[in-house]
Amino acid sequence: MAQTMSEVDRFEAARPRLAAIAYRLLGSASEAEDVVQETYLRWQAADTGRIEVPEAWLTKVLTNLCLNQLTSARARRETYVGQWLPEPLLAGDPMLGPADTAERRESVSYAVLTLLERLTPGERAVYVLREAFDYPHREIARILDITEAASQQTFHRARKHVAAGKARAEVDEAAARRIIEEFLVAATSGRTEPLVRLLTQDAVAIGDGGGKVPAGAKGFKGALAVARFMRGLFKPGPAQRALAGGSVEIHAATANWGPALVAVVDGRVFGVMCLEITAEGIAVFHNQVNPDKLERATRQWAATGHGEPLLRLFSDPV
């Protein structure tokens, strides 16, 4: 059935919201784009004149496509090489969605996206629709074909799981920037002790290379182990330069509304390190270096302005 321009426009008006929902549900921008496109194809094939509330219809179709994707993704991730981490989004990316409240910003933080991986697909859907987009439980129940009471119970359970994983309060933006600068000084000092002092005792470092870039298959736990890993990561050497493919510029940035370090090689984003910084120190490093998950970040980086790097590594052959 041919669509009128108004029907196309109606979908395009909903596209940013649909993409933001899909990204939170899937943790992958590329998969979110695919699901939004599939939703559009179904919208094209539908008798839109008989759809009373198009926005609700589109959300229901998209959410159920995402639930199917999450179910199959769990099976795929069992064979994923190394740790699986979400695809980071840099500041300004429209897929980050609404950011007018602290709850909405936190719902797309890298820490929360990682914690959402522990939830069932149903719990994740209820949490995202309620916490990030303020859908009433009555509407969530219609979208997921459950009762309103079940939606409320699922939300409280999911929220409890997420809250338990984020027990410590994070510092403000200015303090985070200061700690990041201190971290880079310590990481390039060649010594372990200054790094340990900046970390929490139970600090962890997790990397996702997708089997294409070395990232530490099992991660690192404890301040000393993480400090040693970071010292080696920032130590100049022929192996590091060969891996990066050239000199690396390290920028302080924002990813998923949180503090991050972005490593850039010849205009290409080589890695995004998202940090959880608390009053006790740096608690978590999530290091995304899988090139398949950095293509969108590279496009966003090229489209936005950024200042001088805080650090340059491997500028000269060793």
Side-chain angles (χ1 to χ4, degrees):
M1 179 183 295
Q3 286 189 309
T4 66
M5 183 59 69
S6 62
E7 289 168 335
V8 174
D9 289 345
R10 186 185 290 275
F11 182 87
E12 291 303 321
R15 184 185 288 272
R17 177 178 57 83
L18 295 173
I21 293 172
Y23 172 69
R24 284 165 168 81
L25 287 175
L26 300 173
S28 165
S30 58
E31 290 181 6
E33 288 176 335
D34 291 343
V35 168
V36 171
Q37 185 60 24
E38 177 62 26
T39 303
Y40 175 66
L41 294 176
R42 298 195 180 196
W43 172 252
Q44 277 188 313
D47 183 357
T48 54
R50 303 185 64 178
I51 297 175
E52 294 183 3
V53 186
E55 289 75 13
W57 186 93
L58 290 169
T59 304
K60 183 179 179 69
V61 170
L62 175 103
T63 301
N64 283 284
L65 286 170
C66 287
L67 289 175
N68 292 337
Q69 187 88 344
L70 282 171
T71 301
S72 62
R74 290 198 166 201
R76 291 199 310 274
R77 286 171 195 172
E78 290 180 1
T79 60
Y80 192 83
V81 179
Q83 302 277 348
W84 187 96
L85 290 175
E87 181 176 346
L89 298 183
L90 300 182
D93 193 309
M95 200 175 280
L96 288 168
D100 51 328
T101 66
E103 290 78 13
R104 287 178 169 178
R105 289 191 295 274
E106 185 178 65
S107 73
V108 78
S109 70
Y110 209 78
V112 167
L113 286 182
T114 304
L115 290 169
L116 291 181
E117 288 294 309
R118 304 178 185 178
L119 305 182
T120 67
E123 288 173 339
R124 187 164 184 162
V126 171
Y127 181 87
V128 167
L129 291 172
R130 180 64 181 161
E131 188 79 352
F133 295 90
D134 204 27
Y135 278 83
H137 285 290
R138 182 179 301 175
E139 191 165 352
I140 295 173
R142 292 196 190 102
I143 291 170
L144 299 177
D145 293 323
I146 59 177
T147 66
E148 188 172 347
S151 175
Q152 292 171 336
Q153 292 168 3
T154 301
F155 175 68
H156 290 308
R157 186 168 61 247
R159 199 178 196 185
K160 184 177 180 180
H161 287 323
V162 172
K166 280 185 62 65
R168 291 176 289 197
E170 297 183 1
V171 300
D172 60 34
E173 186 176 347
R177 174 61 182 249
R178 184 181 68 253
I179 292 171
I180 283 176
E181 291 174 351
E182 292 175 358
F183 165 74
L184 288 177
V185 171
T188 55
S189 69
R191 299 168 55 226
T192 303
E193 294 79 6
L195 278 167
V196 171
R197 288 196 292 270
L198 291 173
L199 309 179
T200 62
Q201 287 301 307
D202 58 351
V204 297
I206 304 168
D208 178 352
K212 299 182 178 182
V213 177
K218 295 183 179 180
F220 300 87
K221 297 180 180 180
L224 184 57
V226 172
R228 287 172 174 168
F229 168 68
M230 291 296 166
R231 184 189 64 189
L233 189 66
F234 285 87
K235 182 180 179 181
Q240 289 89 334
R241 182 181 176 85
L243 178 64
S247 61
V248 181
E249 294 183 344
I250 307 294
H251 294 259
T254 300
N256 295 75
W257 300 112
L261 289 170
V262 177
V264 181
V265 179
D266 295 329
R268 172 179 59 88
V269 175
F270 176 76
V272 176
M273 183 182 287
C274 298
L275 295 84
E276 291 182 45
I277 304 177
T278 72
E280 291 78 34
I282 305 174
V284 183
F285 297 86
H286 286 125
N287 194 22
Q288 183 56 261
V289 290
N290 183 344
D292 294 340
K293 297 182 181 182
L294 295 172
E295 293 178 359
R296 186 181 180 94
T298 294
R299 295 196 299 272
Q300 180 68 18
W301 186 261
T304 56
H306 37 79
E308 286 295 307
L310 293 179
L311 182 67
R312 286 185 173 89
L313 296 173
F314 324 137
S315 296
D316 299 310
V318 179

